[in-house]
Amino acid sequence: MRKFLLLFITILTFGIGNSQVLNPVKWKTKVEKSSDTEFNLIIIGTIDDNWHVYSQFTPDGGPLPMILDFKNKKGNYELIGKAKESKYKKSFNDVFGVDEYLFEKTVIVTQKIKLINLKNSLANLHLEYQVCKDACINDNKDFVFNLPLTTLKTSVSEADTTKTLIDSEPIKSITPEKVETTVKQLDPIKPVIDDKKDKGVLNIFILAFFGGMFATITPCVFPMIPMTVSFFLKQSGKKSKGTFNALFYGLCIVAICVLITIPFHLLEGINRDIFSQISTNVYLNIFFFLIFIIFAISFFGAFEITMPSKIANKVDNASNSKGLIGIFFMALTLIIVSFSCIGPALGFVFGTSLNSDGGAKILSLAMLGFGLGLALPFMFFAIAPNLLGNLPKSGGWLNTVKVIFGFIELALAFKFLSNADLVLQSHFLEREVFIAIWIAIFATMSIYLFGKITLPHDSKLDHISVGRMLFGLITLSFTLYLFPGLFGAPLKLISAFTPPQTYSESPNGIGNASEVSNKLDLPIGATFGPHKIISFEDYKDGVAYAKKINKPILIDFTGRACQNCRLMENNVWSDAAVLKILKNDVVLISLYGDDRKELTKADQYISKENGSLISTVGQKWSEFQIQKFKNNSRPYYVLLNLDEQQLSTPVPYTPNIEEYKKWLLEGIKNFKK
């Protein structure tokens, strides 16, 4: 309960839309040698103004105390007594009704240890603490202490550059000096914070809104609309009160949808790159693939998916409460009991948002749109109850809608499998295979709509309606549209979903010969990117080539599983004028932030951003982008001169061809000055 209360206060203070990363405590470590086997391990925290950190001796029932966990002590060293602290301040907390022990400005904690293993020279500490101002942040740090075994020297280092994720076997090759060298080698570029908004935000909101609207015409939700509105109008006695209650019910649906996203804001506060890591996580994408497959089979009528009855019953009982609280739990009951219908739509919204690289703010905005779409019919008919009679009657058509959703879920499932395949670069689900699967799915959907296939819960059809026939024609047309994609057509309508053309059995289309017969013609370190643009996937190689041929550098921060990146490549880069610039006037460096290829042990280092181990190529480029440009969205484009200084303000996803071309030409003009 205590953690929940602190979490609730934090949310109210910062708001769900605030994705700023807060780091109000800066830590340093120090080692003092008392004897050949005894050492004082010291951590020193400098606390920002108006913030405070809680002591490890904070009484029970109050804020969360500081916790020191020495990870590799077993068999290496033992702790001598409890860790000692600098002088703390005592203050009574009215919320918890207990005294608080807290530090302001500075906190110093000292733990004395005695070595058991005289060959061990490292001590690993995991620190958990709570830092508060108007709200509280639960944070943690990892420290590695270098123990001076032979001399009486004192070792001082920044916590952020000595942190490791390995407990009993730290990476000895990683040193603070190496971290500084690695970061400097990446780029001396001056950081620039870009305030330009992602133009895909509105599209995500609209897509989510229609997702919520479509969810209302499923068998779980649609029959509830007239029942719920009529209930409020009859129960309240007065029409005005009934209308208010129904409107409040709709607002509660919206609020619940947004509240679901709160954990993602907390995760983003811990790690700014968390959404990129989630969206490109192989196991998570495979998990989504399996979930969507299961939902699709359920929608086809094989079985029903429901929330556990205990949860549904408890929430339903809470809805019997009087007043606005009861209405809130009625809204929660709707979402829980209709989960089998709205769950896949929720999954689609989450999946789309996670792949947008827009962070928790975009996810909340998407869920706001979804909630509005789901709640709008309830609110609309509460205002105009006379129109309830115009609603179509429940019947077999609702199951048809459910089956259609099943086909769509099945198609989307393979998008998540494709993401995993692209990140792994396993070439299991290449472009032709992906398109062939979609052709099979939508062709079968067309046959179903024309009444040639029936499923377990379908009503007997004597004829098909005009609407069903028209929708069948649309689906059939889409299926025919997909066929040329097997032979190399770009398929711009779905370019965000299909693997790129370079990820194909026949990159130039079936039966088409390669434009370049000998890859030896490529510069050292280069490869062929989209549309046969010469591209470098290593920053230093690309810069060296740009200096050699005296052309500006275009950094393309991209991803193997990035939807907006594919949209830019297929819809903007394919424009004749833009493509000419990319091929002839700049040197393209494409840095994949989700590349899972392992760095050599010698090239691995510790992140200055969050203290984690940078062990893959993708992590390296993500760290580079965050450190140098204070941005972690994909795609993100930066133009540099040969001194590696910015020629213009970087831009994110820019679907307008003329705007993107203008940006390119402006940077090239500045390069020639």
Side-chain angles (χ1 to χ4, degrees), residues 377-514:
F378 294 93
M379 301 169 77
F380 174 78
F381 287 109
I383 297 172
N386 294 333
L387 297 178
L388 281 172
N390 296 328
L391 281 175
K393 303 298 181 183
S394 300
W397 68 273
L398 283 175
N399 190 69
T400 301
V401 171
K402 194 173 181 180
V403 171
I404 290 171
F405 278 170
F407 281 111
I408 295 173
E409 290 291 321
L410 193 60
L412 292 176
F414 285 94
K415 169 56 183 169
F416 290 104
L417 185 61
S418 174
N419 286 347
D421 184 58
L422 285 166
V423 171
L424 290 174
Q425 291 289 287
S426 60
H427 290 267
F428 170 75
L429 193 62
E430 291 182 321
R431 181 180 170 86
E432 293 92 343
V433 178
F434 182 93
I435 293 172
I437 291 172
W438 270 39
I439 289 172
I441 291 171
F442 287 103
T444 307
M445 182 176 168
S446 302
I447 296 171
Y448 171 79
L449 287 169
F450 289 129
K452 302 302 180 182
I453 296 175
T454 56
L455 292 172
H457 300 299
D458 282 330
S459 301
K460 186 177 180 181
L461 279 177
D462 295 325
H463 64 278
I464 62 172
S465 65
V466 174
R468 182 166 176 163
M469 183 194 70
L470 292 175
F471 195 67
L473 288 172
I474 292 172
T475 307
L476 180 60
S477 299
F478 178 70
T479 305
L480 295 174
Y481 168 79
L482 294 175
F483 269 99
L486 295 173
F487 306 95
L491 302 182
K492 291 186 178 182
L493 285 178
I494 58 167
S495 57
F497 293 91
T498 61
Q501 288 182 309
T502 53
Y503 195 77
S504 169
E505 294 179 4
S506 303
N508 301 290
I510 295 175
N512 294 330
S514 173

Side-chain angles (χ1 to χ4, degrees), residues 165-166 171 174 282-283 423-425 538 560 592-605 613-621:
L165 297 181
I166 301 175
I171 298 176
I174 299 174
V282 172
Y283 300 107
V423 171
L424 290 174
Q425 291 289 287
D538 183 82
R560 308 283 185 196
Y592 289 86
D594 56 4
D595 193 329
R596 291 293 190 268
K597 186 164 66 175
E598 287 284 328
L599 294 168
T600 64
K601 289 293 183 183
D603 290 332
Q604 294 179 8
Y605 63 97
L613 176 66
I614 303 298
S615 60
T616 68
V617 171
Q619 290 172 341
K620 174 183 175 181
W621 298 135

Side-chain angles (χ1 to χ4, degrees), residues 157-205:
S157 59
E158 292 290 341
D160 283 344
T161 61
T162 59
K163 182 173 175 184
T164 181
L165 297 181
I166 301 175
D167 295 335
S168 59
E169 190 178 352
I171 298 176
K172 296 181 181 180
S173 63
I174 299 174
T175 64
E177 292 77 12
K178 180 174 180 180
V179 174
E180 294 298 330
T181 302
T182 304
V183 173
K184 286 178 182 177
Q185 284 177 347
L186 287 177
D187 185 25
I189 302 166
K190 183 180 178 181
V192 172
I193 299 176
D194 178 51
D195 295 325
K196 189 168 182 178
K197 294 182 179 179
D198 188 340
K199 296 181 183 297
V201 171
L202 183 60
N203 292 336
I204 290 175
F205 177 82

